Each structure stands twice: as structure tokens, then as C-alpha cells.
Amino acid sequence: MRLNVTVNGEKRQVDDVWEGESLLYVLRERMGLPGSKNACEQGECGSCTVYLDATTVCACLVAAGQAEGRDVVTVEGLGTAGDLDPVQQAFLDAGAVQCGFCTPGLVVAAHELLDRDPDPSTVDIREALAGNLCRCTGYEKIIDAVHLAASRGTSAR
Ligand code: FES
Ligand code: FES
């Protein structure tokens, strides 16, 4: 099938997509967007979290065909190397990145939280990020990063 989808504000068309392959596969392998990570492919780790329209989803659980005509934003779409999103910058500044494998999904999930709640409590943050697993940090620095981003104010997507 031919897939038409807007990714990070750009209309993209990809041919020869099997309807059953995941949005994560399309992003990483067909569109050259490796930011969303592929850790479990079972919806368990959150490393593949992206926006689909205005909602965050695990891209590994979304069939490519379900994304037809829709709007996807990946971690690459939140900021650039020279102009990081405040959430991305806060993760760096708070020391919340170790191996970094979980970071893209956590950044997108934290971004979504701060979009709807600019000043979340620690409990709110833990709840919002409960689907995103990190094997390195023990989560404290991640919580700090979200509080830091909140204190600086966040940019609208
Ligand atoms: S790779 Fe999608 S939730 Fe783990
Ligand atoms: S920084 Fe390594 S899994 Fe989170």
C-alpha cells in the first residue's frame, strides 16, 4: 500500500508498505527517523512514544495503515540540535540521560504532560511517565528534568 502521513509537519508518501507493519518500523526504516526507539515492540517500554494527532501512542503498536492521513510528531519534530525543545534541554541539564535509549519516548511523554499540565506534581509526573521504562537512571533525574522544564516554561508543539 501507499502510505500518506504528515510527519513532523512534512507530508510524506511511502510506497510498498505492508498494512500490518508498525508505524515505528515505517518511521525508523522507511523514513530515516531513528529517534523513536525499538526496545520491546510489545507496548511495554514506551521507548517508541510519538504523537499521533494530539495523542501519544506507542508507535510499535500502531499499524502503518492506521496512520494514513494522520499527523505524527516524533522526538525529532520537537526540536533541532541547535534549537532544542525545553523538555529536551531540561533532560540534558538535569542529567536525566544515561544510555539514552528511553529518552526519546520519555521526552515525548513529558512534553505531552506539560502541554496539558504546565506545573505537574511529582505524583502527576510519575503517573504520566509510568508507561516509560528506564533501566539506568532510577527515575529521580527524569522527574527532576520534568520539574525543571516546567519551571522554565515549555513551548507549544
Ligand atoms: S518498543 Fe514500543 S513500547 Fe517498547
Ligand atoms: S537512560 Fe538508559 S534506559 Fe533510560
Side-chain angles (χ1 to χ4, degrees):
M1 62 173 266
R2 170 174 287 177
L3 177 67
N4 294 284
V5 59
T6 299
V7 180
N8 299 334
E10 187 183 338
K11 288 192 185 305
R12 304 283 297 259
Q13 191 173 79
V14 187
D15 286 322
D16 300 324
V17 173
W18 173 54
E19 288 184 31
E21 73 188 36
S22 71
L23 174 61
L24 180 61
Y25 183 88
V26 172
L27 292 170
R28 289 178 56 85
E29 307 300 333
R30 298 187 184 276
M31 294 185 176
L33 292 169
S36 311
K37 295 291 178 273
N38 178 358
C40 74
E41 286 189 283
Q42 295 181 3
E44 299 289 342
C45 74
S47 68
C48 62
T49 303
V50 299
Y51 282 101
L52 180 61
D53 295 334
T55 304
T56 51
V57 295
C58 291
C60 70
L61 294 184
V62 176
Q66 291 177 288
E68 173 66 26
R70 300 176 74 179
D71 189 22
V72 174
V73 177
T74 71
V75 70
E76 291 99 333
L78 297 183
T80 64
D83 183 22
L84 293 178
D85 180 86
V87 179
Q88 294 170 320
Q89 188 65 55
F91 268 68
L92 289 177
D93 294 344
V97 182
Q98 289 189 24
C99 82
F101 213 80
C102 66
T103 307
L106 276 160
V107 165
V108 174
H111 188 277
E112 189 275 337
L113 168 64
L114 293 173
D115 254 5
R116 59 184 161 81
D117 182 356
D119 187 23
S121 68
T122 296
V123 171
D124 294 334
I125 296 169
R126 287 190 181 280
E127 187 174 335
L129 303 185
N132 293 78
L133 304 184
C134 174
R135 292 187 165 190
C136 305
T137 65
Y139 298 99
E140 291 303 322
K141 300 286 188 188
I142 291 167
I143 307 294
D144 291 348
V146 181
H147 281 304
L148 181 60
S151 72
R152 292 171 171 174
T154 59
S155 63
R157 180 164 52 92

